[in-house]
Amino acid sequence: MSSTKTSAYEGFTAQERAAMKEHAQERKKAARRASQAEKAAEAERDVLAKIAEMQDSDRAMAERVHAVVTAAAPVLAPKLWYGMPAYALDGKIVCFFQSAAKFKARYATLGFSDQARLDDGPMWPAGFALTEVTPEVETRIAALVERAVS
């Protein structure tokens, strides 16, 4: 019995295309900023504005994640990354918050890039589903972020 599944590649989703456009705009905006201090202050304002635009539950979680990340690892610089709040070390993204609404997902995600120092043997988690940010979750996030930049 042979099966002939014909599914043509349809390209990027509308949400993926929108994220790529946001990323291009972020890079253009960053290039126009003058001083490094101005860039950092403007980037954090951009992150806070993006968080403020989120739907209620995503916004509440993003606000808590932002507070925890910036307190646990003040060396990380907030910046937008594909339209998502992200935190960078020396210009390279270490972690990011992806709202559930961003890609019409069931839950928000706290993700870590390959720059994060979370290596643990031949396999380790690099993304965490978030349905709410409780004090216990905040403690776990702080520990992960501290480890990611250690």
Side-chain angles (χ1 to χ4, degrees):
M1 178 195 254
S2 75
S3 88
T4 55
K5 186 176 180 183
T6 57
S7 62
Y9 174 71
E10 295 182 24
F12 296 106
T13 66
Q15 294 87 3
E16 290 168 331
R17 284 191 302 276
M20 287 185 281
K21 285 179 184 177
E22 283 181 295
H23 184 60
Q25 290 170 347
E26 293 157 8
R27 292 182 58 89
K28 286 178 187 175
K29 190 173 182 179
R32 287 192 300 265
R33 294 181 181 139
S35 71
Q36 196 64 20
E38 181 184 280
K39 287 181 183 183
E42 191 76 21
E44 181 155 20
R45 281 193 294 272
D46 291 346
V47 166
L48 294 173
K50 183 59 75 175
I51 290 171
E53 292 172 4
M54 292 178 185
Q55 295 175 359
D56 292 341
S57 63
D58 283 340
R59 183 177 54 253
M61 287 189 289
E63 288 170 346
R64 292 307 313 139
V65 167
H66 178 77
V68 171
V69 170
T70 55
V75 298
L76 292 178
K79 65 185 282 185
L80 289 178
W81 184 62
Y82 293 96
M84 296 178 282
Y87 305 88
L89 181 63
D90 299 326
K92 296 181 180 176
I93 300 300
V94 173
C95 62
F96 60 91
F97 176 84
Q98 180 179 302
S99 69
K102 179 87 174 156
F103 294 106
K104 298 179 181 172
R106 186 167 61 102
Y107 47 78
T109 304
L110 174 65
F112 291 88
S113 76
D114 61 337
Q115 298 298 310
R117 297 183 184 108
L118 297 176
D119 304 34
D120 185 20
M123 183 176 155
W124 58 89
F128 298 85
L130 294 172
T131 57
E132 76 179 302
V133 179
T134 64
E136 296 81 12
V137 170
E138 288 181 5
T139 301
R140 288 184 65 195
I141 292 170
L144 283 166
V145 170
E146 288 170 358
R147 185 170 161 210
V149 297
S150 64

